[in-house]
């Protein structure tokens, strides 16, 4: 089959490349409208308080300024993708520093920013909850009093009898791991313009929006409009990584309120600082693992207790933590599992969807743990994963039997091991991992002067290490929600075609991928496909562009649309050429062949047009049904899975604690690759962001306030910070997805931090339990940030 | 039009009244009612005269001379984007950290968010828009397309301007020199390996 492709699997240049390299691509803040006003947010300087009153009298001298607040909302005052707990404008309480009480609207944005100080509030401060471990204390103040609990969600998972499993185990170890709050740091800050449509037609919204249909729903709820009166158009999106969902919905609603009120276009654009303070982040996790195993390496039982800091609002916490409970044991077949995952409300910045979506955290824990198990029973990290890893027919922690696709976990693992000569090098590095470093560590900071033979030789300063991590990842939404997608393809009489899908381009290259799929089916070049601008008015709701689901879901819908049209062409040709079977028809190289004769695709379209053939179709793909038992945490959680293995090679500087990632080898089975160029781009991106997660990134808070509010303090990787990245694809077959094309975006990120942590252990001989592994953690075995003092690595 | 507005005003007050009782007891206060009256006056379509500032600067952008009034605190990127509608240059951090706003002045890559418009007086500025000659792409732009040196594209104008500045000064850069020259431009999609390839390819294309 694979040999028969014309375009699929090759490298195809991005469709939007020309617009992007010339600066012509229009991002949200590049749109201007006549008479446009600006909206500027007013926030308070507290993290948790009751609002007694808001006083606008300071603005009386500025008649040109309009105020929008809770009183301008005709529909829902609180919104949320899962739970409606986030007010568009706060009116009862402030629960986190990003909270907005009102918006000033006027022509002069810089004037409005000064005027925010004139809005006075009377607040009554409440006790803060910033430690998620105290959120469920009996005396804890409720962040949202109407919920009568700070628990956002609790997912149990029970398989077998974990106590019996521990009883049968020779070794039982317990560890605690933590991960930090992470900012998406999409380079384009939030921006949106709402334009009133004449004749009470509603409102048109153009913005940096990840999920236009979700935004439409939220805005319509807030305005109390029918869905059709809110048209959401996606501007070119300057990165999202999961981050332009909830907040963009709310900002869009605020802009829409102002546009309706002033009858003028209203633009809201955030500075970087505003973006950091108000946007949601990746969840910090506190993870306690207890594992029982025997000398043969077989894991008998695993008990997992995970607490996620959901921050002030639920956002995507219920979905993020659900993926965690399904995948918390990693890609291992374990007889007895007992998992509890909880997300709680605190006054910290709220957390939601971010690339990885509840998987990078448990992977860091469980893959660190696997290496420890290997060390205890004296086998290599590769071996321990081979012993416990899932194989075809294995049953996951949630009781799901893996079948209908290539269960390629061991294949990617073996390939990565072979590619890097892992086992041998791991042994080599761990032999030289250095008692000296540990000795010097012991004395560091305790006032001892090192003896001469305890001092480090220059040659000993840089230590090499190698580590690996593996994962299985459920594709698309799974039992989280309705899983279906639409695509519209309209072939024109000259052979060119319009294409659009309900899933949105987030910068990942979706338009190019989908064009390739349609072009492959019709046997034409992808350049003949014109991808339409994303507009909720012209394409059906296809759910959000999240969970690495675009290629598998949207791709299948595009393929379906193209096949519908192809079938119509074939039927027409049966009559036209007077042939009996369409088996001989071949759509290739912009022509259709039948034995010795052929017709160009454009002539075919012109012919079809003259015969009144319907050359437009809406394709649809609905994911196979999945199932979840909420009480036991059992079920076929996802309809299919992908597998990956990454190996990290690092250099650790023992004097400064600096870690340099020399090389990452990423072996992934994403199913069939559609665009090789785009696929490689996903690997570079995911791995680099994963390295940032491992080594530098991390937002810290003080009483809920974020300390790092711009890129001078939020350290995201630059081109100099990472070495070579090598991507290897093992394309497994699957009955789902277009030709078996599945997911890649998130698997590339989720493994890297765990692989690097294992490599650092291999180099330094010390294991670290908290991310990021920054120099102070590595050198001092503790974090220096004040609120992290309690944390710190053991050993 | 006027009638409709009055009607809206009334319904708004009714709504406010209801909201006042519905919302947590003490929230609603009189001053927001006054404010509601204040905003009912028609907003002027044009921003006030002082909006654009009162200091004149003269500069050349992409070969075109401009005379513009600015404020003392207007930055070059604000001048380019908001006044000259050259929106190819992006504001990312507005903090001199990420390189998204990079333009070229006197053969040097400059963060335009860190330069006051006043300081650009008399200068010759090249932005991403200036690289395109008619429909024809500059070699650096072509190289970024060929080598797929981008994903979302938001950092791309800045990346290309940094690469352009590098190649103006050093037509034959080593890999290390490319890395160093491009280190001031963050790409969160992390297309770095491909950006490096793109710059190397651009050097090749320019020499050919």
């Amino acid at each position: 089959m694979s040999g028969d492709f014309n375009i699929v699997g090759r490298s195809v240049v991005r469709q939007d490349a020309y617009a992007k390299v010339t600066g012509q691509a229009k991002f949200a803040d590049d749109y201007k409208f006549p008479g446009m006003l600006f909206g500027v947010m007013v926030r308070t300087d507290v993290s948790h308080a009751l609002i007694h009153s808001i006083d606008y009298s300071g603005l009386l001298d500025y008649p040109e300024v309009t105020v929008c607040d809770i009183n301008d909302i005709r529909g829902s005052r609180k919104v949320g993708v899962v739970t409606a707990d986030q007010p568009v404008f706060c009116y009862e309480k402030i629960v986190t520093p990003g909270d907005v009480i009102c918006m000033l609207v006027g022509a002069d944005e810089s004037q409005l920013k000064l005027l925010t100080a004139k809005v006075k509030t009377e607040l009554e401060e409440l006790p803060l909850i910033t430690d998620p471990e105290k959120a469920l204390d009996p005396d804890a103040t409720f962040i949202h009093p109407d919920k009568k609990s700070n628990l956002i969600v609790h997912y149990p998972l029970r398989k077998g009898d974990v106590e019996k499993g521990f009883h049968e185990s020779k070794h039982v170890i317990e560890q605690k791991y933590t991960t930090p709050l992470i900012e998406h740091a999409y380079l384009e800050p939030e921006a949106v313009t709402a334009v009133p449509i004449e004749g009470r037609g509603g409102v048109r919204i153009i913005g940096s929006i990840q999920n236009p249909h979700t935004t439409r729903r939220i805005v319509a709820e807030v305005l109390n409009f029918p869905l059709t009166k809110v048209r959401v158009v996606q501007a070119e999106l300057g990165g999202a990584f999961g981050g332009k969902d909830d907040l963009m919905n709310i900002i869009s609603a605020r802009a829409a309120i102002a546009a309706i009120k002033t009858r003028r276009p209203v633009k809201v654009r955030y500075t970087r600082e505003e973006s950091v303070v108000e946007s949601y982040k990746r969840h910090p996790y506190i993870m306690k693992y207890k594992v029982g195993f025997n000398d043969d390496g077989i894991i008998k039982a695993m008990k997992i207790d995970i607490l996620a800091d959901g921050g002030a609002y639920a956002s995507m916490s219920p979905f993020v933590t659900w993926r965690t409970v399904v995948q918390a044991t990693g890609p291992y077949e374990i007889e007895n599992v007992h998992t509890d995952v909880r997300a709680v409300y605190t006054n910290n910045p709220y957390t939601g969807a971010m690339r990885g979506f509840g998987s990078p955290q448990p992977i860091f824990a469980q893959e660190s743990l696997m290496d420890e198990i290997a060390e205890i029973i004296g086998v290599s990290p590769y071996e321990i994963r081979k012993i416990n890893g899932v194989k075809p027919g294995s049953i996951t922690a949630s009781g799901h039997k893996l079948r209908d696709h290539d269960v390629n976990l061991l294949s990617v693992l073996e390939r990565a091991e072979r590619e890097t000569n892992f086992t041998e090098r791991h042994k080599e590095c761990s032999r030289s991992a250095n008692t000296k470093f540990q000795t010097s560590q012991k004395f560091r900071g305790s006032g001892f002067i090192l003896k001469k033979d305890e001092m480090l030789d220059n040659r000993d300063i840089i230590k090499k290490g190698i580590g690996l991590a593996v994962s299985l990842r459920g594709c698309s939404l799974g039992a989280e929600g309705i899983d279906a997608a639409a695509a519209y393809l309209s072939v024109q009489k000259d052979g060119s075609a319009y294409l659009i899908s309900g899933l949105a381009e987030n910068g990942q290259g979706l338009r190019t991928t989908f064009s390739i799929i349609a072009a492959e089916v019709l046997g034409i070049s992808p350049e003949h496909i014109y991808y339409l601008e994303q507009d909720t008015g012209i394409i059906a709701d296809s759910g959000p562009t999240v969970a690495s689901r675009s290629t598998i879901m949207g791709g299948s819908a595009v393929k379906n649309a193209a096949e519908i049209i192809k079938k119509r062409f074939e039927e027409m040709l049966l009559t036209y050429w007077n042939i009996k079977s369409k088996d001989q028809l071949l759509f290739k190289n912009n022509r259709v062949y039948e034995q010795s004769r052929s017709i160009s695709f454009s002539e075919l379209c012109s012919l079809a047009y003259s015969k009144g053939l319907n050359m437009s179709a809406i394709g649809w793909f609905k994911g196979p049904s999945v199932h979840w038992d909420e009480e036991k945490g059992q079920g076929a959680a996802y309809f299919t899975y992908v597998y990956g293995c990454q190996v990290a090679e690092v250099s650790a500087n023992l004097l400064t604690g600096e870690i340099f990632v020399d090389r990452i080898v990423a072996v992934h089975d994403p199913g069939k690759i559609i665009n090789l160029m785009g696929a490689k781009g996903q690997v570079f991106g995911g791995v680099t962001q994963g390295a940032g997660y491992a080594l530098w990134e991390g937002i810290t808070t003080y009483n809920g306030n974020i300390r790092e509010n711009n890129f001078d303090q939020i350290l995201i990787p630059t081109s100099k910070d990472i070495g070579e990245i090598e991507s290897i694809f093992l394309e497994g077959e699957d009955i789902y997805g277009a030709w078996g094309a599945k997911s890649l975006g998130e698997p590339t990120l989720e493994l890297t931090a765990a692989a690097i942590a294992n490599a650092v252990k291999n180099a330094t001989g010390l294991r670290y339990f908290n991310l990021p592994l920054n120099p102070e953690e590595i050198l001092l075995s503790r974090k220096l940030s004040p609120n992290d003092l309690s944390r710190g690595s053991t050993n | 039009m006027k009638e409709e507005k009055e009607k809206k005003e009334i319904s708004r007050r009714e709504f406010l009244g209801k909201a006042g009782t519905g919302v947590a007891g003490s929230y609603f206060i009189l001053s927001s009612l006054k404010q509601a009256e204040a905003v009912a006056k028609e907003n002027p379509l044009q921003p006030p005269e002082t909006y654009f500032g009162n200091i004149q600067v003269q500069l050349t952008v992409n070969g075109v001379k401009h005379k513009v009034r600015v404020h003392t605190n207007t930055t070059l990127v604000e001048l380019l984007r908001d006044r000259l509608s050259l929106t190819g240059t992006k504001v990312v951090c507005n903090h001199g950290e990420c390189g998204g706003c990079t333009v070229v002045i006197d053969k040097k890559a400059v963060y335009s968010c860190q330069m006051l418009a006043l300081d650009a007086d008399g200068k010759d500025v090249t932005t991403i828009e200036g690289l395109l000659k008619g429909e024809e792409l500059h070699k650096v732009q072509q190289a970024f397309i060929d080598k797929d040196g981008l994903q979302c594209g938001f950092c791309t104008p800045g990346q290309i301007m940094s690469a352009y500045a590098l190649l103006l000064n050093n037509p034959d850069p080593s890999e290390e020199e490319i890395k160093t020259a491009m280190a001031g431009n963050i790409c969160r999609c992390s297309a770095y390996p491909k950006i490096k390839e793109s710059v190397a390819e651009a050097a090749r294309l320019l020499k050919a």
Side-chain angles (χ1 to χ4, degrees):
Chain A
M1 179 75 199
S2 58
D4 297 342
F5 288 111
N6 294 318
I7 324 152
V8 163
R10 303 222 185 117
S11 282
V12 177
V13 166
R14 309 176 60 94
Q15 282 204 337
D16 48 20
Y18 183 92
K20 285 176 176 175
V21 301
T22 52
Q24 292 170 3
K26 271 187 120 173
F27 293 87
D29 190 28
D30 301 340
Y31 285 88
K32 278 183 193 171
F33 298 89
M36 185 172 81
L37 304 176
F38 289 93
V40 168
M41 305 303 154
V42 181
R43 299 188 179 85
T44 64
D45 54 4
V46 298
S47 304
H48 197 191
L50 289 174
I51 302 172
H52 286 313
S53 67
I54 304 174
D55 178 1
Y56 299 116
S57 53
L59 293 172
L60 284 176
D61 296 339
Y62 303 91
E64 70 275 21
V65 174
T66 307
V67 179
C68 292
D69 66 8
I70 184 69
N71 298 306
D72 297 297
I73 297 177
R74 298 181 209 175
S76 307
R77 293 168 170 185
K78 289 184 182 178
V79 296
V81 176
V82 187
T83 310
D85 61 359
Q86 188 167 11
V88 178
F89 293 111
C90 291
Y91 55 97
E92 293 163 324
K93 283 185 83 178
I94 299 290
V95 292
T96 196
D99 278 351
V100 168
I101 49 171
C102 66
M103 180 170 77
L104 306 185
V105 183
D108 185 347
E109 196 184 15
S110 47
Q111 178 206 20
L112 296 175
K113 287 189 177 175
L114 295 173
L115 290 180
T116 56
K118 301 224 178 238
V119 177
K120 302 290 178 207
T121 48
E122 196 189 316
L123 306 168
E124 179 189 331
E125 288 207 49
L126 297 168
L128 281 178
I129 301 174
T130 53
D131 179 354
E133 291 190 292
K134 292 190 179 134
L136 298 178
D137 285 357
D139 60 340
T141 318
F142 295 142
I143 308 278
H144 298 283
D146 55 324
K147 307 264 181 241
K148 298 194 170 55
S149 167
N150 286 331
L151 183 70
I152 299 174
V153 76
H154 170 211
Y155 292 115
L157 182 150
R158 309 283 182 259
K159 180 193 179 192
D161 182 346
V162 81
E163 288 313 320
K164 184 173 145 271
F166 286 129
H167 193 71
E168 291 165 4
S169 303
K170 184 176 168 199
H171 310 277
V172 176
I173 57 171
E174 281 182 75
Q175 293 297 9
K176 180 179 164 188
Y177 304 87
T178 70
T179 61
L181 196 63
I182 296 287
E183 164 66 26
H184 300 79
Y186 29 74
L187 287 198
E188 179 201 26
E190 293 77 1
V192 63
T193 309
V195 186
I197 300 173
E198 302 76 9
R200 301 170 78 185
V203 64
R204 193 161 160 258
I205 286 166
I206 299 173
S208 55
I209 293 163
Q210 180 177 349
N211 301 317
H213 283 94
T214 317
T215 302
R216 179 182 68 154
R217 173 168 72 81
I218 299 289
V219 173
E221 272 175 31
V222 172
L223 297 178
N224 200 15
F225 276 10
L227 290 172
T228 44
K229 282 203 170 184
V230 179
R231 256 182 97 165
V232 180
V233 177
Q234 186 196 34
E236 200 65 59
L237 193 65
F241 315 112
K244 284 177 177 162
D245 193 356
D246 304 58
L247 177 58
M248 278 315 302
N249 303 338
I250 287 180
I251 300 177
S252 302
R254 290 176 191 149
I257 290 165
I260 300 288
K261 186 170 180 176
T262 60
R263 282 176 237 131
R264 300 261 291 268
V266 175
K267 181 190 271 190
V268 177
R269 53 177 179 185
Y270 275 10
T271 60
R272 177 59 52 188
E273 287 80 2
E274 279 184 291
S275 169
V276 172
V277 76
E278 201 184 337
S279 72
Y280 54 94
K281 320 266 180 262
R282 181 187 289 149
H283 292 73
Y285 272 28
I286 299 168
M287 298 171 281
K288 294 172 187 157
Y289 274 70
K290 181 178 176 186
V291 62
F293 53 97
N294 286 320
D295 285 333
D296 56 6
I298 293 173
I299 299 172
K300 297 296 286 182
M302 198 181 262
K303 190 165 189 247
I304 305 166
D305 188 1
I306 292 177
L307 183 65
D309 183 355
Y313 300 109
S315 179
M316 282 286 184
S317 288
F319 291 165
V320 170
T321 49
W322 183 74
R323 184 174 283 276
T324 307
V325 80
V326 177
Q327 297 181 180
T329 51
Y332 306 109
E333 193 170 14
I334 302 169
E335 202 184 318
N336 306 296
V337 183
H338 182 288
T339 309
D340 288 290
V341 182
R342 292 178 180 85
V344 292
Y345 286 118
T346 65
N347 294 114
N348 293 325
Y350 73 115
T351 47
M354 181 175 178
R355 193 176 188 175
F357 206 82
S359 73
Q361 300 98 329
I363 288 176
F364 165 64
Q366 114 237 332
E367 289 302 275
S368 299
L369 197 58
M370 289 307 283
D371 269 26
E372 285 195 72
I373 296 171
E375 208 177 323
I376 289 170
I377 62 160
V379 300
S380 79
Y382 165 71
E383 200 60 36
I384 194 73
R385 287 167 175 85
K386 247 181 98 172
I387 294 169
N388 292 289
V390 292
K391 299 150 191 88
S394 284
I395 293 171
T396 66
S398 72
H400 186 189
K401 191 168 184 181
L402 298 173
R403 57 179 177 196
D404 293 339
H405 66 278
D406 287 336
V407 181
N408 262 340
L409 182 80
L410 297 187
S411 315
V412 293
L413 175 66
E414 277 157 21
R415 180 69 191 272
E417 130 79 20
R418 209 167 56 235
E419 208 66 38
T420 56
N421 196 12
F422 178 84
T423 309
E424 203 171 299
R425 288 178 54 200
H426 185 268
K427 206 185 273 178
E428 212 173 280
C429 293
S430 60
R431 230 193 330 263
S432 64
N434 56 79
T435 45
K436 270 194 183 170
F437 176 58
Q438 290 169 23
T439 322
S440 69
Q441 282 284 306
K442 220 184 285 168
F443 294 116
R444 194 183 291 276
S446 57
F448 284 122
I449 296 166
L450 295 180
K451 290 183 202 126
K452 199 174 176 194
D453 65 337
E454 285 165 350
M455 286 184 185
L456 292 168
D457 189 283
N458 266 347
R459 280 166 302 183
D460 295 333
I461 290 173
I462 305 286
K463 285 285 177 212
K464 299 276 182 188
I466 188 165
L468 66 73
V470 292
S471 74
L472 113 167
R473 184 182 182 89
C475 295
S476 197
L477 301 174
E480 277 170 32
I482 313 142
D483 216 357
Y488 170 70
L489 179 66
S490 176
V491 180
Q492 309 301 303
K493 68 175 179 178
D494 64 352
S496 62
Y498 287 122
L499 176 65
I500 185 173
S501 146
L503 293 161
E505 171 75 55
N506 285 356
Q508 76 280 52
L510 168 154
R511 291 180 289 222
T512 316
T513 303
F514 288 177
S515 299
I516 292 171
I517 292 173
E520 180 72 43
V521 172
L522 296 175
I524 59 175
S525 319
E527 303 90 76
H528 293 175
I529 297 193
Y530 181 94
Y531 205 94
L532 291 167
E533 98 183 312
Q534 203 68 32
D535 181 336
T536 56
I538 60 174
I539 185 72
D541 188 345
S542 300
T545 306
V546 296
S548 306
R549 70 189 281 270
S550 311
T551 305
I552 189 164
M553 300 299 298
S556 300
V558 171
K559 185 161 175 265
N560 178 234
E563 280 167 348
I564 292 170
I565 295 172
K566 184 180 176 185
K567 201 172 163 210
R568 291 184 196 145
F569 281 138
E570 286 173 339
E571 269 154 21
M572 185 188 79
L573 283 172
L574 287 185
T575 335
Y576 183 66
W577 277 341
N578 196 19
I579 46 178
K580 295 232 155 39
S581 158
K582 50 191 182 189
D583 296 347
Q584 294 294 316
L585 292 171
L586 181 64
F587 287 66
K588 204 174 173 174
N589 302 333
N590 299 311
R591 296 190 78 79
V592 183
Y593 300 88
E594 196 268 335
Q595 291 177 348
S596 56
R597 60 187 149 183
S598 75
I599 183 171
S600 79
F601 190 74
S602 57
E603 281 173 89
L604 175 74
C605 293
S606 162
L607 181 72
Y609 182 80
S610 69
K611 288 181 180 294
L613 188 81
N614 178 2
M615 291 190 285
S616 300
I618 291 170
W620 192 258
F621 178 72
K622 185 178 172 298
S625 51
V626 284
H627 158 77
W628 191 251
D629 173 344
E630 290 282 343
E631 272 170 28
K632 293 214 170 85
Q634 293 291 298
Y638 297 95
F639 61 84
T640 190
Y641 298 82
V642 290
Y643 305 88
C645 176
Q646 289 184 2
V647 175
E649 299 171 20
V650 303
S651 295
N653 183 324
L654 302 185
L655 287 187
T656 61
E658 188 198 359
I659 301 293
F660 187 78
V661 180
D662 300 318
R663 185 164 90 126
I664 301 273
V665 176
V667 185
H668 288 278
D669 169 14
K672 180 78 201 145
I673 301 270
I674 302 293
N675 184 4
L676 188 59
M677 224 180 212
K680 282 187 177 166
Q682 285 301 308
V683 176
F684 294 144
V687 165
T688 310
Q689 288 180 0
Y693 190 44
L695 298 173
W696 309 288
E697 293 180 40
I699 296 282
T700 62
T701 55
Y702 179 70
N703 288 346
N705 292 285
I706 292 171
R707 288 198 183 84
E708 302 84 358
N709 60 15
N710 206 326
F711 293 157
D712 51 340
Q713 287 162 305
I714 301 170
L715 300 180
I716 54 183
T718 72
S719 60
K720 274 195 132 175
D721 293 329
I722 186 156
E724 195 191 333
I725 300 167
E726 197 177 315
S727 51
I728 297 169
F729 299 115
L730 283 180
E731 298 172 73
E733 293 196 0
D734 200 307
I735 58 168
Y736 301 114
W739 302 288
K742 296 189 277 187
S743 312
L744 183 61
E746 292 171 284
T748 58
L749 183 145
E750 63 188 12
L751 289 163
T752 319
I756 290 174
N758 284 338
V760 170
K761 160 72 173 71
N762 188 222
T764 62
L766 293 176
R767 180 156 292 284
Y768 300 91
F769 298 90
N770 312 299
L771 292 181
L773 307 166
N774 56 18
E776 59 205 33
E777 166 91 347
I778 289 176
L779 213 52
L780 309 175
S781 287
R782 66 184 176 96
K783 304 277 187 196
L784 292 180
S785 316
N787 61 332
D788 288 338
L789 273 181
S790 60
R791 304 181 5 165
S793 292
T794 51
N795 234 336
Chain B
M1 181 76 184
K2 204 177 171 196
E3 266 176 34
E4 194 192 316
K5 213 165 71 187
E6 280 169 7
K7 229 162 70 191
K8 191 172 174 252
E9 188 59 24
I10 290 163
S11 66
R12 186 179 186 280
R13 276 191 209 171
E14 282 170 0
F15 176 73
L16 285 177
K18 281 178 202 154
T21 52
V23 176
S26 55
Y27 164 75
F28 183 66
I29 59 164
L30 196 71
S31 59
S32 50
L33 250 188
K34 283 183 190 156
Q35 180 59 24
E37 280 162 354
V39 297
K41 290 175 199 160
E42 192 58 60
N43 285 312
L45 254 172
Q46 287 303 317
E49 193 49 24
T50 51
Y51 179 69
F52 295 119
N54 47 18
I55 306 163
Q56 187 166 296
V57 294
Q58 202 170 340
L59 74 170
T60 309
V61 181
N62 303 330
V64 182
K65 284 202 172 114
H66 294 275
K67 269 189 199 168
V68 215
R69 282 183 304 139
V70 297
H71 289 285
T72 46
N73 62 355
T74 305
T75 59
L76 177 57
V77 71
E78 287 166 356
L79 169 65
L80 293 171
R81 285 184 58 87
D82 298 343
R83 304 294 309 284
L84 305 181
S85 291
L86 294 169
T87 54
T89 308
K90 304 298 179 202
V91 183
V92 177
C93 68
N94 212 15
H95 217 70
E97 293 290 337
C98 70
C101 61
T102 306
V103 297
V104 173
I105 300 174
D106 298 333
K107 287 186 155 190
K108 274 189 198 138
V110 173
Y111 287 173
S112 62
C113 74
Q114 296 297 297
M115 185 181 220
L116 289 174
L118 289 177
D119 290 333
D121 190 36
K123 300 276 194 227
D124 190 344
V125 182
T126 307
T127 70
I128 187 76
E129 289 90 349
L131 293 191
L132 197 65
K133 296 280 174 270
E135 289 273 288
E136 195 194 334
L137 291 170
H138 190 276
K139 295 282 196 295
V140 181
Q141 294 172 313
Q142 188 60 51
F144 270 75
I145 293 181
D146 294 347
K147 294 291 170 189
D148 199 33
L150 67 147
Q151 279 188 36
C152 80
F154 204 70
C155 73
T156 309
Q159 301 277 1
I160 289 177
M161 294 317 287
S162 283
Y164 172 69
L166 166 70
L167 297 174
L168 278 180
N169 297 295
N170 179 359
D172 196 12
S174 68
E175 206 187 313
E176 207 47 47
E177 285 169 330
I178 292 176
K179 251 195 222 175
T180 307
M182 303 304 290
N185 290 73
I186 292 177
C187 170
R188 184 55 160 169
C189 305
S190 306
Y192 296 127
K194 292 174 166 195
I195 290 170
K196 284 177 227 162
E197 270 180 51
S198 303
V199 180
E201 172 74 3
R204 266 195 299 279
L205 290 176
L206 282 167
K207 273 189 289 181

